[in-house]
Amino acid sequence: MSEPAAKRIRSGPVAKATRTELDDLGVSPDANASAAAAMRLAKIMDSSADPKEVAAAARELRQHMHTVRGLAPPKDRGDIVDELAARRPRHSA
């Protein structure tokens, strides 16, 4: 008896969005297991036609991304006061 053919996993819009968010968080899937699992789950979502498999992968992806967001280093994005101060012209004496 032959084994079933392996399902082809591909990257699509979910994997792209996941990668973009991981990049924005500064977390590499090469160095973080939860980020790597998130990328794999995103690819499964992009590759599957089975709604149950997609739903299960989506639940797990949500959980892994929650973990990754919690572990990501905080970003110093500034606030509106910093933005206004940067726009203010500097006067030289």
Side-chain angles (χ1 to χ4, degrees):
M1 195 148 92
S2 66
E3 291 189 28
K7 185 177 3 177
R8 184 165 180 225
I9 303 293
R10 65 177 179 84
S11 291
V14 179
K16 181 179 178 186
T18 302
R19 171 63 77 174
T20 300
E21 184 173 356
L22 290 173
D23 289 346
D24 186 52
L25 291 169
V27 178
S28 169
D30 297 330
N32 183 295
S34 286
M39 285 303 304
R40 177 72 176 178
L41 289 162
K43 289 176 183 178
I44 289 171
M45 287 179 65
D46 286 333
S47 303
S48 182
D50 179 11
K52 290 180 182 178
E53 185 177 24
V54 172
R59 281 191 302 275
E60 289 298 315
L61 175 60
R62 184 175 55 244
Q63 184 60 42
H64 281 284
M65 289 305 294
H66 178 75
T67 301
V68 169
R69 288 181 201 110
L71 296 174
K75 294 184 98 170
D76 182 23
R77 295 187 187 254
D79 61 9
I80 190 68
V81 174
D82 293 335
E83 187 179 320
L84 291 172
R87 285 194 228 163
R88 183 176 175 205
R90 305 268 182 226
H91 297 286
S92 58

